[in-house]
Amino acid sequence: MLDLTFEAPKPKVIAGAKSDWELVIGLEVHAQVASNAKLFSGASTEFGAEPNSNVSFVDAAMPGMLPVINEFCVAQAVRTGLGLKAGINLRSAFDRKNYFYPDLPQGYQISQLYHPIVGEGEVIVDMGPGVARRVRIERIHLEQDAGKSIHDLDPTMSFVDLNRTGVALMEIVSRPDIRGPEEAAAYVAKLRQIMRYLGTCDGNMQNGNLRADVNVSVCKPGAYEKYQETGDFSHLGTRCEIKNMNSMRFIQAAIEYEARRQIAIVEDGGKVVQETRLYDPDKGETRSMRSKEEAHDYRYFPCPDLLPLDIEQAWVDDIAASMPELPDEKKARFVADYGMTEYDANVLTAEVENAAFFEDVAKGRDGKQAANWVINELFGRLNKEGLAIAESPLSAAQLGGILDLMAKGDISGKMAKDLFEILWTEEKGADPAAVAAARGMQQVTDTGAIEAAVDEVIAANPAQVEKARANPKLAGWFVGQVLKATGGKANPATVNDLVARKLGL
């Protein structure tokens, strides 16, 4: 079972000119549904296609074209809701959110305001061993993405690419439970991790497939606790929304700047204006984009082209039955089954592909040793060369083969690292045992041969023998000399035992 006993991290406190202030943060994360087709059309969702090549008549808002719901996108939203331990609404409906923008051909966005498909859930955000923040999810709704306006191709004209128009998005709305910049970034990272495990969003922030609108406000210490007791938002400060953040680092920097901006305004006797802002990473500051709209500004009304969604509980149950093991459960199992630290389990479960690779290596082997080699040798080399786990020149079977040779005593730890290097750079795809045999890398386990080498080193160094007998820690010198004399091929454990016995230690 997963142990959810933890201590909540302290809120971030920022010292103003006149008093201390605390942060209150809520996020609206837009996650592109992992689907080959769009939410209401059969057009492709492929990234990087020629501008305006993945556009159907529906996406382009041609007269008379009607949307048709993509059942797979609905299933992906349900799967995400189940992964966030949220309630699934068996009846939901789509609404039109009306506004004009050049990359929105219909003049409205089909979204879900009044009846979202997913209700309340939660995310446990790890901030350290035994320290985590429970962030409540208010809702998840499905909506279609807009296109993309391009302003840097011509000095006098802007262009519109409608390839993203109609792509399915899940908007995941949190409660204002996040209390610091690091927590906000960790929350987005945890959402990304869960959805990648579920296969519902690839989490590629660089391509815009995962982006966040960050709501930031500041309040005096103690005010947040009053809000929690009463549910009255008047205890909190006026919030500003920072739009379309697609970098963990920028999310943190934007929150820091925006919080200090609001504190300066309030302490100077002014009032924070509720508005939408953009973050400029070059200047490291937020700037005003527009006044913050309310729901009535968008003139929401039920979409007349789409019937409400009525979902059968049996369909939801089938999706629930196919759910994979999620990160928190996998981490707890790794700690319990393999005896590893929580830190190592965190590293190994950070990406679903990494966890699968590790389990392939650890199958039938020492879990701690497998974790050590995967984290230190494999991940270290991948990071150094900028490679993903899928691009590793060394397979899980090969790494497991190296560990098997060590377990049988055929090679030493040093030989194993040498073999790792050879398989990585020279003998890609080769069998570790065959490479070790061909290169004469077998460890010497013949006690007689090792004993002869130990006797020779001891006989040649009588002065060092006396020192070692007076100070047993110096016996390591003899071990090193024997290993050197045998070309590093002698079994270190056997050498240690023989040296200790021969020296009478």
Side-chain angles (χ1 to χ4, degrees), residues 161-297:
D161 179 5
L162 297 182
N163 278 349
R164 289 188 70 95
T165 304
V167 167
L169 297 178
M170 296 176 286
E171 181 168 338
I172 305 168
V173 182
S174 84
R175 297 285 185 182
D177 291 349
I178 300 166
R179 307 303 311 283
E182 296 81 7
E183 283 183 27
Y187 165 76
V188 175
K190 187 63 175 285
L191 272 183
R192 177 184 182 276
Q193 181 191 40
I194 291 171
M195 289 188 288
R196 281 177 53 77
Y197 267 70
L198 292 169
T200 57
C201 175
D202 68 15
N204 191 324
M205 301 184 79
Q206 186 175 354
N207 291 351
N209 295 357
L210 187 70
R211 50 195 194 267
D213 298 341
V214 185
N215 290 279
V216 181
S217 66
V218 295
C219 65
K220 294 287 185 67
Y224 184 81
E225 286 69 26
K226 291 179 182 177
Y227 151 72
Q228 283 188 310
E229 292 170 8
T230 63
D232 185 353
F233 283 94
S234 67
H235 293 295
L236 305 180
T238 302
R239 64 186 171 91
C240 290
E241 181 183 48
I242 310 168
K243 292 287 288 185
N244 288 327
M245 304 296 297
N246 65 347
S247 156
M248 306 296 186
R249 182 165 59 90
F250 291 164
I251 285 172
Q252 295 183 67
I255 291 171
E256 286 277 3
Y257 176 87
E258 180 59 22
R260 294 185 186 281
R261 185 189 73 86
Q262 293 182 20
I263 291 168
I265 291 172
V266 176
E267 291 195 336
D268 201 35
K271 289 187 176 180
V272 175
V273 176
Q274 184 172 335
E275 62 181 350
T276 299
R277 300 179 69 84
L278 292 175
Y279 177 68
D280 185 335
D282 295 327
K283 296 182 178 179
E285 62 185 28
T286 63
R287 63 172 183 268
S288 181
M289 181 181 175
R290 59 177 182 262
S291 60
K292 177 63 179 173
E293 299 89 346
E294 301 295 340
H296 62 261
D297 294 319

Side-chain angles (χ1 to χ4, degrees), residues 453-472:
V454 171
D455 288 340
E456 186 176 333
V457 171
I458 288 176
N461 297 278
Q464 198 68 18
V465 169
E466 295 305 317
K467 291 179 182 178
R469 285 172 175 161
N471 182 2

Side-chain angles (χ1 to χ4, degrees), residues 326-339:
L326 292 174
D328 286 343
E329 288 73 20
K330 191 178 289 290
K331 183 177 75 174
R333 179 170 63 82
F334 278 14
V335 171
D337 291 358
Y338 298 112

